[in-house]
């Protein structure tokens, strides 16, 4: 039986997830603050503000949905990826994905 070694793809996906999650939180917080400020009614009012508010809400929803999907997809891919693989497979993965 082939010797099992850590899967470099599993490690790379874990690293990616650890890097992406804080960025997603930063993006969500960066959008949420101005969104709530605008919704307070003290920034801008009137018909044009109401139209802008509707557009801003749509963009906020899209940004949050896209960010959540990225994190979810990474988590699902990581969950499906074996932690260990045969040594020959680990070499092939490193070459295919240009991993160290």
């Amino acid at each position: 039986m082939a010797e099992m070694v850590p899967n470099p793809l599993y490690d790379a996906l874990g690293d990616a997830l650890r890097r992406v999650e804080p960025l997603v939180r930063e993006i969500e917080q960066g959008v949420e603050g101005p969104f709530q400020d605008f919704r307070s009614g003290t920034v801008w009012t009137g018909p044009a503000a109401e139209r802008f508010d509707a557009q801003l809400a749509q963009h906020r929803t899209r940004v949050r949905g896209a960010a959540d999907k990225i994190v979810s997809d990474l988590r699902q891919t990581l969950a499906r990826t074996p932690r260990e693989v045969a040594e020959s497979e680990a070499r092939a993965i490193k070459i295919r994905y240009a991993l160290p």
Side-chain angles (χ1 to χ4, degrees), residues 19-51:
R19 289 178 186 207
V20 166
E21 284 180 317
L23 296 173
V24 166
R25 283 193 299 273
E26 185 178 330
I27 289 167
E28 288 177 342
Q29 290 170 356
V31 170
E32 191 63 26
F35 177 76
Q36 293 302 328
D37 288 345
F38 187 80
R39 287 236 138 151
S40 71
T42 60
V43 175
W44 183 20
T45 59
E50 290 172 11
R51 288 189 300 273

Side-chain angles (χ1 to χ4, degrees), residues 17-96:
L17 186 59
R18 283 187 292 280
R19 289 178 186 207
V20 166
E21 284 180 317
L23 296 173
V24 166
R25 283 193 299 273
E26 185 178 330
I27 289 167
E28 288 177 342
Q29 290 170 356
V31 170
E32 191 63 26
F35 177 76
Q36 293 302 328
D37 288 345
F38 187 80
R39 287 236 138 151
S40 71
T42 60
V43 175
W44 183 20
T45 59
E50 290 172 11
R51 288 189 300 273
F52 180 80
D53 178 56
Q55 291 176 345
L56 183 60
Q58 287 177 339
H59 291 302
R60 173 181 167 254
T61 299
R62 288 174 59 194
V63 165
R64 293 178 80 180
D68 290 344
K69 181 162 178 27
I70 290 168
V71 170
S72 175
D73 288 353
L74 268 173
R75 284 184 180 152
Q76 288 176 12
T77 302
L78 184 62
R80 290 190 311 262
T81 303
R83 289 179 184 257
E84 292 186 334
V85 294
E87 190 172 3
S88 60
E89 189 175 352
R91 279 194 303 274
I93 289 169
K94 285 181 180 182
I95 291 168
R96 180 175 183 183

